[in-house]
């Protein structure tokens, strides 16, 4: 069982949703095809990517699900000029 104590929880106000595009990637592994749903959200003012979320490759609560969640957080932080591990800003944004 995956240790879910380190998973970050974030509830977004529905009125503050970012514009986003969604698509499904199909990944072939050992003669099986798996689907991964990807959501890429953008800053409404600048159009720059700000968040990414991936789901579907692994049952909820598994190590693979947790790894995908952590990858999504790390990529989102990088897109926001933040350290993927700590969340600290890497540089000032003007």
């Amino acid at each position: 069982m995956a240790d879910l104590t380190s998973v970050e929880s974030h509830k977004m106000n529905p009125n503050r949703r970012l514009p986003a595009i969604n698509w499904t990637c199909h990944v072939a592994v050992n003669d099986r095809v798996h689907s991964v749903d990807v959501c890429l959200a953008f800053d409404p003012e600048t159009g720059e990517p700000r968040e990414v979320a991936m789901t579907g490759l692994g049952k909820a609560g598994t190590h693979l699900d947790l790894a995908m969640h952590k990858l999504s957080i790390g990529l989102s932080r990088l897109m926001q000029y933040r350290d993927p591990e700590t969340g600290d800003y890497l540089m000032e944004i003007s």
Side-chain angles (χ1 to χ4, degrees):
M1 186 75 168
D3 175 18
L4 299 179
T5 57
S6 63
V7 173
E8 294 180 22
S9 176
H10 174 71
K11 288 189 177 184
M12 182 177 272
N13 180 341
N15 298 328
R16 296 194 50 190
R17 284 214 169 116
L18 298 173
I21 56 173
N22 300 289
W23 70 94
T24 300
C25 297
H26 302 284
V27 181
V29 179
N30 296 331
D31 297 326
R32 294 187 64 198
V33 177
H34 303 274
S35 296
V36 179
D37 296 317
V38 181
C39 176
L40 183 60
F42 298 88
D43 184 303
E45 294 177 14
T46 66
E48 293 182 5
R50 285 289 174 243
E51 296 177 350
V52 65
M54 297 176 283
T55 58
L57 189 63
K59 294 180 182 177
T62 64
H63 291 288
L64 181 57
D65 180 58
L66 179 61
M68 287 184 61
H69 182 76
K70 286 183 174 184
L71 176 62
S72 295
I73 291 170
L75 289 171
S76 295
R77 286 178 173 172
L78 281 172
M79 286 186 271
Q80 298 167 19
Y81 306 102
R82 294 167 49 196
D83 182 283
E85 291 290 323
T86 66
D88 296 336
Y89 282 96
L90 299 173
M91 57 188 266
E92 289 294 318
I93 303 171
S94 51

